[in-house]
Amino acid sequence: MVNIAVFASGSGSNAENIACYFKENKQVNVSLFLTNKPDAFVVERAKKLDIPCEIFNKKDFYETNNVLNVLKHNKVDFVVLAGFLWLVPENLLEAYPRRVVNIHPALLPAYGGKGMFGDNVHRAVVENKEKQTGITIHYVNTEYDKGDIIFQAKCVVEPTDIPEMVAEKVHKLEYLHYPEVLERLLLSVK
Ligand code: GAR
């Protein structure tokens, strides 16, 4: 059994989608959600799904081993970021080499880096009149959106699309592909 932990800072719709995808899976277990935002909707989703949810603050994350200890205590093998907006500290990356992955709502290296998250990305894509956008699933390193790319999928941006419409298309791609890509990676982990 591979245990995964999902980090999210906001709504957590990807976290929920991943948990539902692996619900009946005998080899993969979504054992834990973690968030830096006590009032994020992902906390409600965790309750509904009956998945424990750990809340941590900046000090826990960057100045102590508290978060790492929680992962170890829960026997977490693999870390999934889904709408998690903080850089991951080195102690975690060293403990989970090539076992921390993120999803980004654009075709990296375009529209990546600090401040490029969620709707900011879709607004920039529309402002620049891009003809396509998409998703990138990548390994996480110490820089925003710079780790090796694992998978990308594209969608069309129509000239009449507003950022909300682009967000909807991108979310659909995320829900479709993130769990499947994770499944492939996870089964090669153990
Ligand atoms: C997702 O679109 C994800 O790709 C994006 O935040 C959204 C979270 O939605 N992540 C980033 O922008 C990371 N730079 P969700 O909370 O509903 O899953």
Side-chain angles (χ1 to χ4, degrees):
M1 178 69 89
V2 183
N3 280 320
I4 70 177
V6 184
F7 284 64
S9 301
S11 163
S13 69
N14 276 284
E16 177 166 355
N17 181 53
I18 291 164
C20 291
Y21 181 89
F22 289 115
K23 197 165 187 278
E24 306 294 334
N25 194 301
K26 302 257 182 303
Q27 288 158 296
V28 178
N29 178 38
V30 178
S31 51
L32 187 64
F33 283 0
L34 297 101
T35 187
N36 57 316
K37 286 248 166 110
D39 56 349
F41 192 61
V42 68
V43 177
E44 300 306 316
R45 294 188 196 265
K47 278 187 206 144
K48 184 182 77 179
L49 295 161
D50 206 16
I51 292 174
C53 186
E54 282 286 333
I55 297 167
F56 57 88
N57 60 30
K58 253 196 179 126
K59 191 172 175 188
D60 292 321
F61 205 42
Y62 292 112
E63 293 173 37
T64 71
N65 277 329
N66 291 355
V67 174
L68 183 56
N69 291 340
V70 167
L71 297 178
K72 294 287 174 200
H73 180 76
N74 285 275
K75 299 189 168 34
V76 168
D77 301 297
F78 202 94
V79 173
V80 173
L81 310 186
F84 180 66
L85 303 181
W86 286 356
L87 275 182
V88 176
E90 269 177 38
N91 65 333
L92 248 83
L93 295 175
E94 278 164 16
Y96 290 94
R98 292 258 282 200
R99 288 177 182 215
V100 184
V101 299
N102 180 43
I103 191 160
H104 187 78
L107 297 170
L108 290 175
Y111 301 101
K114 196 166 165 47
M116 274 295 166
F117 57 86
D119 291 340
N120 294 350
V121 174
H122 309 310
R123 269 195 295 273
V125 163
V126 168
E127 272 166 23
N128 289 339
K129 303 190 186 347
E130 297 288 354
K131 293 194 168 53
Q132 60 175 23
T133 186
I135 60 167
T136 303
I137 297 167
H138 64 94
Y139 289 107
V140 171
N141 64 15
T142 50
E143 292 178 274
Y144 281 112
D145 307 319
K146 287 277 175 66
D148 291 347
I149 291 173
I150 301 163
F151 175 90
Q152 292 188 305
K154 294 174 185 169
C155 59
V156 171
V157 181
E158 303 290 353
T160 50
D161 279 356
I162 57 171
E164 288 75 9
M165 290 151 102
V166 177
E168 199 179 318
K169 291 180 194 178
V170 167
H171 262 123
K172 273 193 188 139
L173 286 180
E174 294 183 327
Y175 301 150
L176 178 66
H177 294 291
Y178 204 13
E180 285 177 7
V181 171
L182 288 173
E183 189 170 27
R184 283 204 296 279
L185 286 175
L186 293 166
L187 297 180
S188 62
V189 158
K190 272 210 161 165

